[in-house]
Amino acid sequence: MTSPPHVLTPARVLGLSGVFLAGLAVVFLLTVFLGEQAVSPRVLLEEPGSLEARIFWSLRLPHACLAALVGAGLAASGSTLQGVLRNPLADPFVLGVSGGAALGASLALALGLGTVGDLTSGLGGGLGGGLGGGLSRLSAPALFAFAGAVAAMFFVLAASRGQGGRAPYAALLTGVVFNAFASAVITLLKALSDPNRLGELLFWLAGTLGHERAGTLVLSAALQAVAVGVMLALSGRLNLLSLGDADAASLGVDVARTRRWLLLAASASVAGAVVLSGLIGFVGLIVPHVLRLALGPDQRLLVPLSALGGAAFLLLADLLARMAQPLFGQELPVGVVTAVLGGPLFLALLHRRGRLSSSSL
């Protein structure tokens, strides 16, 4: 006798986790060894001082680690937000966190602030000297993006507080309105920006993976581990929230506190991802949606597998962006690739489920 396909059993969890981990490992190896300049594992082992080895250790490996972290955070957050908001079309950008991050980074780029040292020198120089060399070299757009994301997150949470059973919809609508406001201000900044700075601003907004230092990657990994860990720890209660606030409360769930912690964890994860990569869409929408169709709605399974699937999806998109470089004469922003892949795929999924004719669109 076999278990129904959507029943969570230890064997099913272990089996699916093993499959996803193996798939992620394969994609990761493809990403670090393939590209415009292929890297041979044999040369890597036998000639550690070669050009290929330097490309691997200084460019490919940190680049792939960054892609995996960003993809995991966006997809796990997408799964959680779709559950909290009880809306399968929700994604990490819907709460306004991306809009806040984009607004902060756009402001820094429009002002020509490359590092925190540029900001402090503009304030007189004395503060910059007191910060020390390490902190003064911190990316100003990243700092502004994180501040904008956190500010947007608290604004949305404050706006939805006290809404009772309408809190998910209040948070959703507040995020949509805030994103529209941020988009308008960013358009104004683009119109007023110097042409040289405008190109940099547009490239960041399109979503780009760079080459972060090891310390930055470790901090990002720690942030994502904590945020995804909170989402996973509360995934059982998130399942009960899908029954409705009244039913969840009758089963012993503190609805307001659980929702607040889940929104905080998801927003922190998205903020940490956007700061490092810019705006990369569709990862948090497509990956959880596909997994929910295939595996069912149990968030105890969807949250961790979305993290693994999101990491693999963004690694593949990044590999495609680098492989297409000879065709376009330059490396495409990975956000363009996820949009090109994600848009048609999502429409196909909706069409398959007969939703194109529904009024929800």
Side-chain angles (χ1 to χ4, degrees):
M1 181 177 180
T2 59
S3 301
H6 290 167
V7 173
L8 192 65
T9 63
R12 185 166 182 250
V13 172
L14 289 175
L16 288 172
S17 299
V19 169
F20 274 68
L21 280 172
L24 176 59
V26 171
V27 174
F28 189 89
L29 291 176
L30 289 175
T31 303
V32 294
F33 286 116
L34 296 182
E36 188 182 13
Q37 172 68 47
V39 175
S40 167
R42 182 186 60 78
V43 173
L44 193 65
L45 294 174
E46 297 178 355
E47 303 175 26
S50 64
L51 175 62
E52 290 186 22
R54 291 199 298 273
I55 290 175
F56 178 86
W57 292 112
S58 63
L59 296 178
R60 292 282 175 80
L61 190 59
H63 193 82
C65 290
L66 177 61
L69 286 172
V70 171
L74 291 177
S77 301
S79 178
T80 298
L81 291 175
Q82 288 171 13
V84 171
L85 301 175
R86 296 198 287 273
N87 188 332
L89 299 180
D91 78 346
F93 291 176
V94 78
L95 280 182
V97 179
S98 65
L103 181 56
S106 299
L107 182 61
L109 292 170
L111 294 174
L113 301 175
T115 65
V116 173
D118 296 335
L119 173 64
T120 55
S121 63
L123 295 175
L127 183 58
L131 287 173
L135 188 56
S136 65
R137 289 197 297 271
L138 184 67
S139 168
L143 180 65
F144 275 52
F146 190 80
V150 171
M153 174 183 67
F154 281 105
F155 173 75
V156 171
L157 290 177
S160 60
R161 183 176 297 172
Q163 296 294 323
R166 295 179 298 169
Y169 307 103
L172 182 67
L173 291 175
T174 304
V176 170
V177 171
F178 184 84
N179 273 332
F181 168 77
S183 177
V185 177
I186 291 171
T187 300
L188 176 63
L189 290 173
K190 287 191 289 188
L192 298 177
S193 293
D194 180 271
N196 296 326
R197 296 171 184 170
L198 180 60
E200 187 179 2
L201 174 57
L202 292 176
F203 203 69
W204 189 90
L205 291 174
T208 305
L209 295 170
H211 304 91
E212 300 294 340
R213 292 191 294 268
T216 304
L217 292 176
V218 170
L219 287 176
S220 177
L223 172 64
Q224 296 299 343
V226 171
V228 175
V230 171
M231 290 184 251
L232 182 58
L234 296 176
S235 58
R237 298 180 191 179
L238 182 55
N239 283 338
L240 298 178
L241 287 181
S242 67
L243 302 174
D245 288 0
D247 290 338
S250 69
L251 294 172
V253 176
D254 186 333
V255 173
R257 176 176 294 184
T258 301
R259 181 178 291 126
R260 184 163 57 246
W261 274 107
L262 286 168
L263 289 175
L264 279 170
S267 299
S269 177
V270 174
V274 172
V275 162
L276 297 178
S277 65
L279 303 182
I280 298 178
F282 286 99
V283 180
L285 179 63
I286 289 294
V287 175
H289 207 78
V290 169
L291 293 180
R292 184 178 295 104
L293 290 175
L295 305 176
D298 195 328
Q299 293 287 350
R300 295 172 298 174
L301 195 59
L302 283 181
V303 170
L305 294 189
S306 292
L308 297 175
F313 179 76
L314 196 56
L315 282 167
L316 277 176
D318 179 59
L319 179 60
L320 288 175
R322 288 190 285 112
M323 297 291 283
Q325 183 172 348
L327 184 63
F328 293 96
Q330 62 178 352
E331 184 174 327
L332 295 176
V334 70
V336 173
V337 179
T338 59
V340 170
L341 294 176
L345 177 59
F346 190 68
L347 289 176
L349 290 171
L350 288 180
H351 182 71
R352 181 183 176 189
R353 298 190 65 174
R355 292 183 178 179
L356 281 177
S357 59
S358 71
S359 58
S360 61
L361 288 177

